Amino acid sequence: MTTSQMETKLTSQPRSNGMTNGGARIVVDDDDEVLSPTDLSEMLAEGTKEAHDRAENCQFVKDFLRGCIKRELFKRGTAALYFVYMAIEEEIEKNKDHPHIAPIYFPAELHRREALARDLEYFYGEDWESQISLSAGTKPYVDRIHEVGQNDPVLLVAHSYTRYMGDLSGGQILKKVALRALKLPSTGEGLNFYQFEGIHSHKGFKQLYRSRMNELELDAETKGRIVDESNRAFGFNMMVFTELEEIGKTIKEEVQDAGFGHGHAEIMEGGDINKCPYYAAKMVASGNPTFACQLAMTLLSHPPCQMALAACVAFFAGFAAWYLL
């Protein structure tokens, strides 16, 4: 099957988003797809929800999202990702003609190994390869990817979905946090991993990728195994996070704030994300009323906010006095 034969058209009059794969245009449409609960993308979203929540709520990720990032840990995390993606992309290359891998084979758009190598060179220097090694917490993940690629390639779908779709979604948030927290260059050095130069629309590409997955000829049992493998992948990621968290306890390094100024760190009050005004504001905006009062109280407890409030009160008091006169 050629790339052009695999081209996905979601409506009768699709619009190109400018992405290419093997020289052929990839055509997608802005409208949402009509999905079924038995579609693989829907089964993965539903079946990995708990594992995804656990990964997002582990301490390392929560600290990262707050901007509490130690440079050394970020470097080690980048090294861990390098070994994971080296394994994934080695196995995908070996199986690129497999009927269940070929439709989701997007090396120019997705592969991250070279980008990670550039990041590691930025952090470690030209001899970066001699300074990194496969850690104990990352090895089981890498070993499993190779095992799957050699013995059961269809399960590579789970590892590809878990990593690449996550990088195109939550990974973009982590990129912004790391940029501020580590005071990295705005030109992108150290953050090449998060930059997908071959993708002009993340939303459009994710829609295309899910559509390709849903078109794979898979029986219910195989879909279930892919969901199970994806949950397993989340577990391996958590092992890496746990290892980094433990290493972080031994590193005496000042944590830089996420670019919000000293006030943000003060508001955090011991690291409780629920006391962060940015988090509370997000919850209020999403329709959660319980955070509205908390947002107001948190801001009022912050000296600069108190001064701003006092200035506002003084202004309106002066205006009212002038009006009454």
Side-chain angles (χ1 to χ4, degrees):
M1 180 180 291
T2 65
T3 303
S4 59
Q5 287 174 325
M6 293 189 298
E7 196 159 272
T8 302
K9 296 185 178 181
L10 302 179
T11 69
S12 58
Q13 294 183 326
R15 182 180 66 83
S16 171
N17 70 345
M19 296 180 292
T20 60
N21 183 19
R25 300 291 286 183
I26 293 174
V27 181
V28 298
D29 188 82
D30 290 332
D31 295 331
D32 292 335
E33 298 173 81
V34 178
L35 298 172
S36 163
T38 59
D39 283 338
L40 181 57
S41 67
E42 291 299 283
M43 292 178 66
L44 281 165
E46 184 63 29
T48 62
K49 189 178 296 182
E50 290 186 11
H52 190 274
D53 288 343
R54 285 197 298 272
E56 280 190 342
N57 284 286
C58 72
Q59 194 60 47
F60 176 80
V61 175
K62 286 165 66 175
D63 287 344
F64 195 138
L65 289 171
R66 283 194 290 264
C68 300
I69 311 169
K70 294 179 179 177
R71 191 180 183 89
E72 179 62 26
L73 283 190
F74 190 80
K75 290 167 58 177
R76 293 190 185 219
T78 302
L81 287 173
Y82 176 77
F83 288 110
V84 169
Y85 280 93
M86 181 164 61
I88 290 177
E89 288 160 14
E90 280 181 2
E91 297 304 329
I92 286 178
E93 284 296 324
K94 292 177 185 175
N95 292 281
K96 63 183 179 182
D97 296 322
H98 189 282
H100 296 133
I101 303 302
I104 58 170
Y105 177 64
F106 293 100
E109 290 82 4
L110 292 178
H111 283 193
R112 299 287 85 202
R113 180 179 175 179
E114 291 184 7
L116 284 161
R118 294 197 299 273
D119 289 339
L120 290 169
E121 183 175 359
Y122 172 79
F123 286 116
Y124 288 98
E126 292 183 0
D127 63 338
W128 62 270
E129 289 182 275
S130 65
Q131 297 188 54
I132 67 171
S133 60
L134 181 61
S135 69
T138 308
K139 189 175 186 302
Y141 195 178
V142 170
D143 289 346
R144 177 59 181 173
I145 293 167
H146 285 306
E147 178 185 352
V148 161
Q150 294 166 18
N151 303 320
D152 202 357
V154 69
L155 296 185
L156 286 173
V157 174
H159 291 280
S160 180
Y161 164 84
T162 302
R163 286 289 352 158
Y164 293 122
M165 292 301 98
D167 299 332
L168 286 169
S169 300
Q172 300 308 301
I173 298 173
L174 299 180
K175 172 188 173 182
K176 294 177 182 178
V177 174
L179 178 68
R180 293 179 175 180
L182 300 177
K183 296 179 171 59
L184 295 172
S186 59
T187 47
E189 287 90 339
L191 295 171
N192 290 288
F193 168 67
Y194 299 103
Q195 301 176 41
F196 292 81
E197 289 85 357
I199 297 177
H200 302 293
S201 166
H202 288 193
K203 178 181 178 182
F205 187 88
K206 288 187 289 184
Q207 183 181 357
L208 168 69
Y209 193 92
R210 289 192 295 265
S211 179
R212 290 283 184 92
M213 285 201 309
N214 293 337
E215 291 174 354
L216 298 177
E217 295 184 3
L218 303 167
D219 57 32
E221 187 269 339
T222 303
K223 289 181 180 179
R225 291 198 302 117
I226 291 173
V227 173
D228 290 342
E229 187 68 20
S230 189
N231 279 311
R232 194 167 185 173
F234 273 110
F236 285 127
N237 278 284
M238 289 184 68
M239 287 176 61
V240 175
F241 296 152
T242 300
E243 181 182 52
L244 290 171
E245 184 183 338
E246 290 303 310
I247 293 172
K249 295 176 181 178
T250 66
I251 296 175
K252 302 299 182 183
E253 180 183 327
E254 183 179 353
V255 177
Q256 302 175 69
D257 64 81
F260 297 112
H262 297 294
H264 180 66
E266 294 166 7
I267 292 174
M268 289 309 298
E269 294 180 13
D272 183 356
I273 194 169
N274 290 323
K275 294 177 182 177
C276 174
Y278 303 97
Y279 177 76
K282 175 183 175 183
M283 297 303 293
V284 172
S286 66
N288 190 332
T290 61
F291 284 82
C293 181
Q294 173 191 311
L295 175 60
M297 295 301 294
T298 302
L299 291 174
L300 287 175
S301 67
H302 190 45
C305 294
Q306 292 171 354
M307 292 175 64
L309 179 61
C312 289
V313 170
F315 171 80
F316 284 112
F319 180 81
W322 171 83
Y323 182 80
L324 292 174
L325 288 175

